Amino acid sequence: MRVARFAHGERIGYGVVDEDALVVLTGDPIVAGFDTTGERIPLGEARLLAPVIPRSKVVAVGRNYAKHAAELGNEVPTEPLVFLKPNTSVIGPGDAIVMPPESQDVHFEGEIAIVIGRVARRLTKANALHAVFGVTVANDVTARDLQRREQQWARAKGFDTFCPLGPAIETEPDWNDLRLITRVDGEVRQDGVSSDWIFDAPTVLEWITAAMTLLPGDVVLMGTPEGVGPLAAGQTVEVEVPGVGTLRNPVVAQSVATPA
């Protein structure tokens, strides 16, 4: 089942994607389940939003594909390497990735994202997937020059608009056969599969929740395959996970500073 969050007129709601329509749900399915109102909205009449706004955090796994670690000159980690992105970095399909003036080397990183469905603390590999609501598509946008320069990655990974999510959540993924394809202006740059993860989803969730509680709606990014590279204003980046959807975002330069 694919679930989307949408805007239609003045309303923001949730719906199940059924071919070319949204079957409207009574509320946030993570909290309220899958009861429907009976209303159907044509997909062409709705604007899809980030399918979830993390309640507290986005947790990301670094270097979880061996070839990506190698392309940046890094060793393959012996245990999951995790970092945080703020929930204020989340945007949805069609929203613009804004190039901050503080960086001259902003990269795309297409990723598969896990959406948490219940409070999760000290999970084990055996029960970890029971805490998962589903998977969506993500782009772990990174200011690579800042990442290289600073020991902590919070700034390099945490700018506003640096975590596009969407367009939908697949609640019954095939964990062994999730393919990820990233395109920039239509050209394929990344093509990876979940079977290439160094640390699989249960291992990652066990590792994270030994240190911190994951809340319903929190998101875990599972790492990026090889092929990352720079973005420039005017380009469009697409990250596709077949069966989940294609996350498409234009790239723009920051023109006017936003007042505090």
Side-chain angles (χ1 to χ4, degrees), residues 6-25:
F6 67 88
H8 183 246
E10 299 298 318
R11 173 178 52 163
I12 293 177
Y14 296 84
V16 175
V17 180
D18 182 19
E19 296 183 349
D20 59 352
L22 289 164
V23 179
V24 179
L25 298 172

Side-chain angles (χ1 to χ4, degrees), residues 88-107:
T88 50
S89 65
V90 171
I91 57 174
D95 293 335
I97 298 168
V98 179
M99 306 285 275
E102 292 80 6
S103 174
Q104 283 69 56
D105 192 21
V106 174
H107 283 207

Side-chain angles (χ1 to χ4, degrees), residues 3-253:
V3 178
R5 179 170 164 263
F6 67 88
H8 183 246
E10 299 298 318
R11 173 178 52 163
I12 293 177
Y14 296 84
V16 175
V17 180
D18 182 19
E19 296 183 349
D20 59 352
L22 289 164
V23 179
V24 179
L25 298 172
T26 58
D28 181 346
I30 294 178
V31 177
F34 296 100
D35 291 338
T36 69
T37 66
E39 181 183 5
R40 293 175 65 91
I41 298 174
L43 271 172
E45 296 180 8
R47 181 168 68 90
L48 296 186
L49 308 173
V52 63
I53 299 296
R55 181 181 294 183
S56 64
K57 56 192 170 295
V58 177
V59 187
V61 183
R63 304 171 190 167
N64 201 27
Y65 291 77
K67 290 182 180 179
H68 170 61
E71 74 177 343
L72 296 183
N74 297 309
E75 298 292 331
V76 174
T78 58
E79 56 192 25
L81 173 63
V82 299
F83 58 91
L84 299 175
K85 292 172 77 83
N87 56 8
T88 50
S89 65
V90 171
I91 57 174
D95 293 335
I97 298 168
V98 179
M99 306 285 275
E102 292 80 6
S103 174
Q104 283 69 56
D105 192 21
V106 174
H107 283 207
F108 61 86
E109 293 191 8
E111 308 210 8
I112 294 163
I114 295 172
V115 179
I116 300 301
R118 65 175 179 84
V119 176
R121 172 67 175 154
R122 291 205 173 272
L123 298 172
T124 67
K125 293 178 186 178
N127 69 12
L129 294 183
H130 295 299
V132 173
F133 179 75
V135 300
T136 190
V137 188
N139 190 345
D140 176 21
V141 183
T142 302
R144 192 72 71 200
D145 47 355
L146 302 185
Q147 185 186 27
R148 293 190 182 105
R149 193 165 78 221
E150 300 174 357
Q151 291 186 340
Q152 299 292 332
W153 297 354
R155 194 162 73 113
K157 298 281 192 175
F159 282 95
D160 291 352
T161 77
F162 271 26
C163 191
L165 295 176
I169 300 170
E170 171 55 57
T171 61
E172 299 178 2
D174 181 349
W175 291 102
N176 296 316
D177 192 29
L178 288 168
R179 184 182 178 196
L180 182 142
I181 307 157
T182 304
R183 303 177 184 89
V184 178
D185 291 341
E187 179 183 347
V188 174
R189 300 292 186 86
Q190 295 180 286
D191 193 343
V193 291
S194 56
S195 56
D196 287 337
W197 287 339
I198 298 169
F199 304 106
D200 63 12
T203 300
V204 166
L205 294 174
E206 180 183 65
W207 180 264
I208 292 170
T209 61
M212 66 188 79
T213 300
L214 293 173
L215 301 179
D218 282 352
V219 172
V220 176
L221 307 186
M222 287 297 294
T224 194
E226 74 275 15
V228 300
L231 291 171
Q235 293 183 316
T236 298
V237 58
E238 299 174 326
V239 186
E240 178 187 2
V241 177
V244 182
T246 299
L247 173 64
R248 182 178 296 105
N249 299 93
V251 183
V252 302

